[in-house]
Amino acid sequence: MSFNQRVEVGAANDAAPILVTGGAGFIGSNFVLDWLATSSGPVINLDKLTYAGNPANLASVAASPAYTFVQGDICDAKLVARLLEEHRPRAVIHFAAESHVDRSILGPEAFLRTNIDGTFTLLQAARSYYDSLVGKERERFRFLHVSTDEVYGTLSPDDPAFHEETPYAPNSPYAASKAASDHLVRAWVHTYKLPAIMTNCSNNYGPYQFPEKLIPLMIANALQGKALPVYGDGQQVRDWLFVLDHCRAIRTVLEQGRIGETYNVGGGNQRSNLEVVTTVCALLDELVPDSKFKPHFQLVKYVQDRPGHDRRYAIDARKLEGELKWRAEESFETGLRKTVEWYLANAAWVADVTSGAYQQWMTQNYDSREAGRSTVAIGEGSR
Ligand code: NAD
Ligand code: DAU
């Protein structure tokens, strides 16, 4: 597929594996596919396979001798220690998390467990493992913690973008749990000299994103003629980054980033939610010309806002751009087109992940929201 960019960064063809956590999720699976496609060395993928983890994302590499999948929990200290001991990775890339803000509002416990306890467990295991290393193995070991811009809180329209020194001010249970995990990583660097680096990234979009998040949800609902639920006034702003640009940023930071540093990652694509939904609908109108739901924008339905909804995120990525020469390569327009095309070409993937428990989530999250104003009456097939 055209979305699989091939990027060479730093030390390629290194025989030592990396240990990826959460590699069956959205960003993790894009990262694993890209890593293996560029022959950067073997990957051990530790993933619990929650509702968000999907081995089908990695079907194309499942039989590769360079890929090992381990179903397990990052909170399982014995398992994590054993994997480090057995595979002797040169790095841990930590993606595993509960990642959806709305789920964190309705059920925060899992977020505290995985995002805080899980990160703590990994840090402790990585610390013991690092202490056992000598020579080159010790010198090159890195723990890369993948985090989010949501730890910085919310911005007003005229505020400057988040930079690495912006004070933490998390607003949702999800953001608070990620902020806590970031603080743990910082402390393990400072106190135990664990060679960790952090990345804080803005909203990702692209192939394999679970259709609970804005863009794939809008695509999946529009194709079925269901309502497109826009929270509040739809004027909240996010800074969108194509997932493979994020994966490339992580590789760059892994190979060249300075220990103990944080690097903000962002696409420089600030868009209101309504603009995003409008663009998705226009792409669907063009790419599915015979759709009976055209124009898809008529399906938009304003619904009750997310409690504590952050108004605006924006990332200042100048540190990563200046120091490590990373740049986002995909424009929002080209990236969104590739994304919509991917979802259209992968209807079976969507059908698979939206069966069963997904329907319960849709009921839980959306049915209780009182409808605000609707642009038009919701048409045939809507919820
Ligand atoms: P995701 O929800 O799509 O995937 C999370 C993965 O982690 C799943 O495969 C799941 O099975 C696994 N997992 C969850 N709990 C686990 C546990 N206890 N043990 C092992 N595996 C577990 O998430 P994503 O969108 O791919 O995000 C990946 C990381 O990037 C997260 O840490 C998230 O906070 C961060 N991030 C995401 C975005 C974004 O826009 N999606 C932006 C910035 C940062
Ligand atoms: O900023 C980085 C973060 O981006 C990541 O850390 C999170 O893991 C990721 O989920 C994402 O968080 P958001 O809350 O910004 O993403 P989400 O796709 O849930 O929502 C994007 C915007 O769209 C947000 O303002 C809420 C709005 N929205 C979302 C949904 C699901 C709607 O209006 N309607 C919806 O149905």
Side-chain angles (χ1 to χ4, degrees), residues 19-260:
L19 174 64
V20 167
T21 71
F26 162 48
I27 304 173
S29 57
N30 277 285
F31 181 85
V32 170
L33 291 173
D34 191 51
W35 184 271
L36 292 173
T38 51
S39 309
S40 304
V43 175
I44 318 300
N45 177 15
L46 170 62
D47 196 301
K48 187 178 172 182
L49 296 185
T50 67
Y51 77 93
N54 187 351
N57 300 359
L58 296 157
S60 62
V61 297
S64 164
Y67 177 68
T68 304
F69 178 68
V70 179
Q71 183 171 4
D73 193 328
I74 57 167
C75 299
D76 182 342
K78 278 193 185 143
L79 172 64
V80 174
R82 181 170 65 73
L83 291 177
L84 290 169
E85 191 50 43
E86 263 179 36
H87 296 282
R88 306 192 70 75
R90 70 178 177 99
V92 174
I93 320 292
H94 177 31
F95 293 100
E98 290 291 338
S99 70
H100 190 33
V101 172
D102 291 324
R103 287 187 194 255
S104 84
I105 293 167
L106 291 169
E109 295 85 352
F111 288 72
L112 273 58
R113 183 180 177 278
T114 286
N115 300 0
I116 306 176
D117 289 351
T119 301
F120 165 70
T121 304
L122 281 177
L123 286 167
Q124 285 290 75
R127 187 184 144 206
S128 298
Y129 171 64
Y130 178 62
D131 285 348
S132 76
L133 298 178
V134 293
K136 187 167 180 264
E137 277 192 329
R138 182 176 173 83
E139 205 180 297
R140 72 177 175 182
F141 180 73
R142 296 288 182 273
F143 185 102
L144 200 152
H145 178 62
V146 179
S147 193
T148 171
D149 59 359
E150 300 205 12
V151 298
Y152 299 121
T154 187
L155 295 169
S156 297
D158 298 328
D159 285 339
F162 300 130
H163 55 85
E164 288 78 0
E165 306 305 323
T166 301
Y168 274 34
N171 286 321
S172 71
Y174 163 69
S177 68
K178 290 297 288 188
S181 70
D182 291 7
H183 290 320
L184 292 176
V185 174
R186 179 192 153 87
W188 262 241
V189 174
H190 189 78
T191 303
Y192 303 115
K193 309 300 174 211
L194 185 74
I197 313 180
M198 272 194 280
T199 53
N200 290 76
C201 189
S202 61
N203 285 61
N204 284 216
Y205 68 99
Y208 301 111
Q209 187 168 31
F210 192 74
E212 63 183 354
K213 308 282 169 65
L214 180 71
I215 289 175
L217 176 76
M218 294 298 152
I219 299 170
N221 276 13
L223 288 173
Q224 293 183 64
K226 291 183 178 173
L228 307 181
V230 171
Y231 295 167
D233 63 3
Q235 294 306 318
Q236 303 83 5
V237 170
R238 298 292 184 264
D239 181 351
W240 293 95
L241 180 71
F242 191 61
V243 63
L244 285 168
D245 274 329
H246 186 194
C247 294
R248 199 166 41 80
I250 291 169
R251 294 166 64 102
T252 304
V253 170
L254 178 66
E255 305 303 352
Q256 301 167 36
R258 285 181 291 137
I259 290 170

Side-chain angles (χ1 to χ4, degrees), residues 180 201 222 269 286 314:
C201 189
N269 289 309
E286 176 197 328

Side-chain angles (χ1 to χ4, degrees), residues 309-321:
H309 199 170
D310 284 337
R311 197 69 182 161
R312 174 178 165 240
Y313 303 144
I315 278 280
D316 179 343
R318 280 179 294 180
K319 179 174 173 183
L320 180 59
E321 292 170 353

